[in-house]
Amino acid sequence: LNDTYLYVAAGDGGLRVLNKDIGLLNEIGDFDSPGLASGMDLIPATGGCYVFLADFNGMQVITAIDEAHPTAMVSYFSPALPARVAVSGDYAYLADRMQGLRIVSAANPALPTLVGSRPTPGIAYDVSVRDDLAYLAVGKAGLRVVDVIDPSAPGEVYSATVDTAGDAVAVTAAAEAIYLADSGEGLVGVTFSETITGTLVLTGTLDTAGTALDVAVAGDYAYVADGAKGLVVVSRFPLE
């Protein structure tokens, strides 16, 4: 979302643009991507934004200067299955279910270029980037942390994953912890110590009533998309 509009990755419905006025929530524009739109991130631009959309077919870069008529600028096609994308600085980080982490230059949105990649031990479902570290939710392998200070040569920060009890399918990195949506096992909180060995510590879990499929963090709360149980709001200090 930005200050005025909501952008929704809507599966076979592509990209949908909605007015953000809660009292009058309505769709004002759309873009039909070639694949199944599954994740996206935004870069602000004068008068609007650029949308980086992962759709299992590749990454679509869409200009939304005119929000009612979002238009494809360029497509970056991946030979595998990119499902989620996070933009940080001049780079877009793709979680690819077959090839792990893929890093694409976004300095010129009209010319995305692959600059680096890193395989993961499990299926890379989601990625979140903070302070030159990429956090990946890798299914049954839990959490993987990758150093991306040099995007052309991403390297492991920790030699092992945090092995969660469920299937880690979504991740978001906050200042004090990393939060994983762990499917049937609910929400998981992870912290790490700044040591040579880089110990990862599983600090809390909360078994939600449904199936935790996604998570976002704002203020003191985590917001969990909990499958058939809808939205679950969780206090982060501690998880409860």
Side-chain angles (χ1 to χ4, degrees):
L1 55 84
N2 63 13
D3 291 340
T4 309
Y5 300 100
L6 297 172
Y7 297 84
V8 181
D12 59 6
L15 174 70
R16 323 301 288 191
V17 186
L18 288 77
N19 189 307
K20 203 170 115 176
D21 183 350
I22 298 300
L24 188 63
L25 194 62
N26 64 300
E27 185 173 305
I28 64 166
D30 65 272
F31 172 80
D32 186 13
S33 64
L36 294 173
S38 54
M40 66 176 183
D41 207 348
L42 310 178
I43 291 181
T46 303
C49 64
Y50 298 114
V51 181
F52 290 74
L53 183 73
D55 69 355
F56 288 103
N57 186 53
M59 182 179 72
Q60 311 295 318
V61 183
I62 301 162
T63 177
I65 304 303
D66 177 0
E67 288 83 359
H69 301 94
T71 305
M73 291 179 60
V74 68
S75 297
Y76 167 76
F77 289 103
S78 171
L81 294 172
R84 293 290 184 96
V85 59
V87 176
S88 180
D90 288 336
Y91 299 94
Y93 299 82
L94 290 166
D96 190 301
R97 293 193 180 184
M98 292 182 67
Q99 296 187 344
L101 176 66
R102 297 174 70 78
I103 305 173
V104 177
S105 173
N108 179 359
L111 192 64
T113 306
L114 181 69
V115 296
S117 62
R118 185 85 185 183
T120 56
I123 298 172
Y125 286 99
D126 195 13
V127 59
S128 181
V129 179
R130 187 181 181 92
D131 297 334
D132 296 322
L133 295 175
Y135 301 90
L136 291 113
V138 288
K140 296 188 184 303
L143 173 69
R144 174 70 70 175
V145 186
V146 176
D147 180 355
V148 293
I149 193 166
D150 179 359
S152 67
E156 298 289 348
V157 176
Y158 304 107
S159 59
T161 62
V162 169
D163 187 13
T164 59
D167 223 1
V169 295
V171 60
T172 188
E176 78 297 332
I178 302 97
Y179 296 89
L180 293 162
D182 203 32
S183 300
E185 298 298 323
L187 181 64
V188 174
V190 176
T191 59
F192 58 95
S193 61
E194 294 293 339
T195 65
I196 294 175
T197 57
T199 305
L200 288 159
V201 182
L202 195 152
T203 54
T205 62
L206 180 70
D207 189 2
T208 55
T211 302
L213 301 175
D214 207 350
V215 58
V217 168
D220 292 341
Y221 299 96
Y223 299 83
V224 182
D226 203 34
K229 296 299 181 179
L231 176 66
V232 175
V233 182
V234 178
S235 173
R236 297 199 286 133
F237 306 108
L239 286 181
E240 61 182 12

